[in-house]
Amino acid sequence: MQSVPLTDHEFRSFQEMIFFVAGISMSAAKKQLVGGRLAKRIKHYGMASYGDYFSLLMKPEAKDELQIAVDLLTTNETYFFREPAHFEFLRNRALPEMSGQASVRIWSGACSSGEEPYSLAMIMAERLGSRPWEIVASDICTRVLDKARGGHYAMERADDIPPALLGKYCLKGVAEQEGTFLVEKKLRSRIQFLQVNLNANLPSLGEFDMIFLRNVLIYFDMDTKRKAVQRMLPLLRKGGYFVVSHSESLHGVTDGLQMVMPSVYLKP
């Protein structure tokens, strides 16, 4: 139970902060979530109010604490092979179309704790074998990126991994690691995990054949969606694919892409 209440005024301050930093629009319904997730930081500093904590975050020397707050307030729900139609599209259409290329690069634009890029990597390893390929996986949250780099998960997270791929690319934990599995090192080495804020100028990432930006745009208002996609599109090569989640659409967001199927778009 929270010992320090979060006032409406304080909640609005955090709403504005997370929108400014990450482009995420939080409704009034998220007030309890914000209070609960930041309560541990209030307790950590022994503060009397959320307003005191917000004042700390606004100090130039508090960049590390600001990142902690952003990490706590961003949602990172994900699982292996989520929305499997996209992985079937990658396997059966996109990668065969790239058969003549020297190398293939994919960007997982909101990779969370790594389940999406590792799922992509299993498909690419199956289809491309020893050919050069790479995945860049990014997220704004440093905490989940640390988890993703390790590639170490509880065994129940493996339920959605096809058994053949699980056996081929994952190592089952024994002894003190029992009940867990580890994505094999060769697969992990193909993925570069980076902190990237889609609501700011992007770092130099190179050009991609596919960009996955799934379950992210639902947290943005329309203007933020347009700006984020506008930043990303120059990094997608002509003939490349841009993938959003089944609950999202790029209608009204950009006219630089053509819909191939719901949630999958082509850069002509």
Side-chain angles (χ1 to χ4, degrees), residues 105 107 196 202-211 229-238 267:
R105 299 185 79 234
W107 180 12
V196 174
L202 299 177
S204 178
L205 298 173
E207 192 175 53
F208 297 96
D209 300 289
M210 289 187 76
I211 294 176
V229 173
Q230 186 178 21
R231 293 184 191 99
M232 299 176 79
L233 281 189
L235 304 186
L236 182 64
R237 71 166 179 82
K238 289 184 178 180
K267 183 175 181 180

Side-chain angles (χ1 to χ4, degrees), residues 83 86 213-220 225 243-251 259 262-265:
E83 300 184 329
H86 293 149
L213 187 69
R214 306 190 304 165
N215 301 291
V216 178
L217 297 178
I218 53 174
Y219 298 106
F220 295 167
K225 291 179 185 179
V243 183
V244 297
S245 79
H246 293 305
S247 62
E248 298 167 323
S249 169
L250 295 182
H251 178 71
M259 189 172 74
S263 72
V264 179
Y265 298 81

